[in-house]
Amino acid sequence: MDKQNSRFRWVIFASVIFAYLIMASQRTAPGLITDQLMSDFNVTATTIGLLASIQFFVYTSLQIPMGILVDRYGPNFFLITGALLTGIGTVIYSQSTHEIVLFLARILTGVGDATIWVSLVLILSQWFNAKEFSRLIGVAGMTGSLGFLIATVPFSALVDLLGWRTSFLSVGVILCSIGIFLYFVLVKKPNQTVLKKHERQNERTKDQLRRIFSSKQAWALFMCHFGVVGGYIGFIGSWAVPYGMDLYGISRLDASQLIMISLVGALIGAPLIGWVSSKLEKIKLPYVVFHIIMLMCWSTFLIFKGQPPFALLILLFFIIGFGFGSNSLTFSAVRLSFPIKESGLVSGFANTGGFLSAVLLPSIFGKVLDLFQFSSGSIGEAYFYGFFTPVLFSLVGLIGVILLKENWQNANPGE
């Protein structure tokens, strides 16, 4: 089958994107039932915090190993297995009777979740040419943000209607069904193999890793993703609500609207930036522009001593979300810079940079708040110093994108 000219590639795209949508929603959905978990399991806020972060730790730590495995054996098996593991983990989560089982369920979900992005990138690389890929990876990025959106009001309404256990059980069953459906779409219908060992993979993993780790282009991609992802997921997802409540005196509900504004920005930005990049046949130029914009946005918080006027704050949150949509250009650059048979590993390496920053930023920001609030007694001053963290992270991203090289003439490397 000529994959890149087949109409069936759109069935592949729709199926993989839908799987990503549902799997992404389960990254943050447990945050909706924090109070119920604390009550039902009689656990502390510290335990709940660890439970919330463990999936991201598992996800981040598995990106490079998953990239190696996907390159070596193909993405089909890992995407199908990942959907099933995420579904099984969610079902176990819904039936947990002890906090230990909750942790084991989230670890299992994290392992399944770790398969989705690198597998998605490689599947789209195989089925679509470089220009189509540049547009569609932006749509994929939007789908992740849409998954986060589903895990807010819609899933909260489902929890209110059915209770948290039945709600998570239902999603778990849906994910298991998606895993079975993906087998027929990715393997059975196009007559593909579940596991396919590529011919060139006789190279030792150690040598392959050494070559990628010594690649300036790979490190530039790592830094790009580190700079653009951490501020959005790390701050918007963890500190936006308490920031709004502490410095602007607004309610928790009103503060949560800041997250929604940023999410809307991301939903618009991801496909639009991908489309612009494809039309221009350039990655570096738009990526540099948005890294500069992100750096300016975070620096604005410093200019206003951590508390810009509320109208400007709303605009900043929207632009930060919109700029986050440019992170899909990282994987467009992977597509053009490395052979497809290595894109899983490089995508995993770059994605590690993004989620490493998302894991590091909330804890660093929190430590800065504790340090300066204790020494100065002013929460406003503490937030001011805290904002140096996303500024520095954004600066790392800008350096990375400046070092990035692109070559649209090499649009199908290694094929």
Side-chain angles (χ1 to χ4, degrees):
M1 179 184 290
D2 182 4
K3 292 182 177 179
Q4 295 187 0
N5 291 308
S6 168
R7 291 183 179 180
F8 190 70
R9 74 191 191 278
W10 296 108
V11 177
I12 296 286
F13 175 73
S15 303
V16 171
I17 287 297
F18 182 69
Y20 182 43
L21 173 71
I22 305 301
M23 291 172 75
S25 73
Q26 293 309 293
R27 293 174 181 173
T28 54
L32 297 174
I33 58 168
T34 295
D35 56 336
Q36 296 178 57
L37 292 179
M38 293 177 69
S39 174
D40 291 355
F41 293 89
N42 194 27
V43 294
T44 65
T46 300
T47 301
I48 291 297
L50 181 58
L51 181 64
S53 64
I54 194 166
Q55 180 174 347
F56 285 108
F57 278 111
V58 173
Y59 180 98
T60 303
S61 63
L62 287 179
Q63 285 306 287
I64 292 176
M66 195 57 62
I68 294 171
L69 291 171
V70 167
D71 281 338
R72 181 158 297 182
Y73 297 107
N76 294 341
F77 172 79
F78 295 100
L79 184 56
I80 293 167
T81 303
L84 291 172
L85 287 177
T86 306
I88 293 169
T90 305
V91 168
I92 294 173
Y93 191 83
S94 73
Q95 303 302 306
S96 300
T97 55
H98 193 275
E99 60 264 29
I100 295 297
V101 182
L102 289 175
F103 275 99
L104 291 175
R106 294 307 289 173
I107 289 171
L108 190 62
T109 303
V111 173
D113 190 23
T115 68
I116 177 65
W117 186 254
V118 290
S119 298
L120 181 151
V121 169
L122 188 53
I123 287 171
L124 296 188
S125 295
Q126 293 172 344
W127 285 87
F128 295 90
N129 62 46
K131 289 194 69 173
E132 288 177 326
F133 179 88
S134 187
R135 293 194 298 268
L136 296 178
I137 200 67
V139 176
M142 179 193 71
T143 303
S145 295
L146 188 59
F148 294 152
L149 188 61
I150 289 174
T152 55
V153 176
F155 195 73
S156 181
L158 186 65
V159 170
D160 288 341
L161 179 66
L162 302 177
W164 75 267
R165 289 188 182 275
T166 304
S167 299
F168 278 89
L169 175 63
S170 301
V171 174
V173 171
I174 290 172
L175 281 166
C176 289
S177 302
I178 288 173
I180 296 170
F181 177 72
L182 285 173
Y183 170 77
F184 286 96
V185 171
L186 296 176
V187 178
K188 197 75 173 177
K189 177 67 176 177
N191 196 26
Q192 301 291 303
T193 57
V194 178
L195 282 172
K196 180 181 180 181
K197 188 168 183 178
H198 293 284
E199 296 178 3
R200 191 176 175 272
Q201 293 299 339
N202 56 356
E203 180 183 14
R204 290 187 305 172
T205 299
K206 184 173 67 174
D207 295 334
Q208 192 178 18
L209 285 171
R210 184 184 296 118
R211 190 177 67 259
I212 298 301
F213 273 71
S214 62
S215 167
K216 293 180 181 179
Q217 184 78 340
W219 278 107
L221 291 164
F222 181 99
M223 294 169 68
C224 287
H225 218 53
F226 182 96
V228 79
V229 171
Y232 177 80
I233 295 180
F235 178 80
I236 302 296
S238 299
W239 287 104
V241 170
Y243 168 72
M245 295 172 67
D246 289 340
L247 266 64
Y248 294 88
I250 58 179
S251 68
R252 184 179 301 276
L253 180 61
D254 288 338
S256 68
Q257 298 304 308
L258 295 173
I259 299 177
M260 294 293 291
I261 290 167
S262 197
L263 264 174
V264 170
L267 287 170
I268 297 172
L272 182 59
I273 293 169
W275 179 82
V276 169
S277 174
S278 176
K279 280 293 183 181
L280 295 175
E281 294 196 352
K282 294 181 182 297
I283 294 172
K284 184 168 181 173
L285 177 60
Y287 215 4
V288 166
V289 168
F290 281 103
H291 270 85
I292 291 173
I293 290 173
M294 295 284 274
L295 179 59
M296 290 172 63
C297 285
W298 291 118
S299 298
T300 301
F301 285 94
L302 299 182
I303 294 171
F304 287 94
K305 302 296 182 183
Q307 193 174 0
F310 194 73
L312 178 58
L313 180 71
I314 293 173
L315 181 61
L316 288 172
F317 270 69
F318 177 82
I319 295 174
I320 287 169
F322 191 94
F324 170 74
S326 68
N327 79 86
S328 61
L329 297 182
T330 297
F331 304 99
S332 296
V334 170
R335 175 71 169 80
L336 297 183
S337 303
F338 295 88
I340 286 181
K341 51 181 151 266
E342 292 183 347
S343 64
L345 172 56
V346 183
S347 295
F349 181 66
N351 210 26
T352 299
F355 279 86
L356 177 63
S357 67
V359 169
L360 289 177
L361 190 141
S363 58
I364 295 174
F365 199 97
K367 287 185 182 297
V368 173
L369 287 186
D370 289 340
L371 176 63
F372 284 96
Q373 187 176 7
F374 177 78
S375 62
S376 68
S378 169
I379 187 64
E381 185 176 345
Y383 273 107
F384 166 71
Y385 286 107
F387 279 114
F388 277 96
T389 309
V391 168
L392 291 174
F393 277 36
S394 295
L395 187 59
V396 171
L398 181 58
I399 293 171
V401 77
I402 289 172
L403 296 174
L404 189 67
K405 296 180 179 179
E406 65 177 336
N407 180 13
W408 278 82
Q409 301 303 315
N410 190 27
N412 291 295
E415 292 186 350

